[in-house]
Amino acid sequence: MAKISGSTVGRLRVAVPDLATQDRIARILKCGDAELRDTLKEREKLKSLKHGLMDDLLSGRVRAKDVEDAL
């Protein structure tokens, strides 16, 4: 692999979107980040609920038959 000098990198041309396009992309990503955070919070709540239910079932505090009847 050939070595790349700083002057070679400095001469590279990189396409950059205009500011309006960058702002639009940033807004879209911000919405996606918020949705991802909400989804991860919901996932953690469900994992906690699952852990509690499994503990109840495995300890015998709640019988599987009782759970079926509740559904």
Side-chain angles (χ1 to χ4, degrees):
M1 179 171 200
K3 292 185 179 180
I4 300 174
S5 67
S7 62
T8 302
V9 173
R11 288 192 308 266
L12 290 175
R13 294 177 48 90
V14 179
V16 177
D18 59 72
L19 286 178
T21 304
Q22 290 180 34
D23 286 340
R24 188 168 46 94
I25 293 168
R27 283 194 308 273
I28 291 169
L29 291 174
K30 195 173 193 179
C31 290
D33 286 345
E35 187 175 337
L36 178 61
R37 272 193 305 277
D38 292 344
T39 301
L40 290 175
K41 282 182 187 177
E42 183 68 20
R43 179 179 178 245
E44 287 304 312
K45 287 179 187 178
L46 291 172
K47 283 175 69 175
S48 177
L49 178 62
K50 177 186 172 187
H51 178 74
L53 291 172
M54 292 299 292
D55 187 51
D56 285 347
L57 288 169
L58 292 173
S59 67
R61 285 190 293 264
V62 176
R63 294 178 44 98
K65 183 73 173 155
D66 297 339
V67 173
E68 279 183 9
D69 293 340
L71 297 175

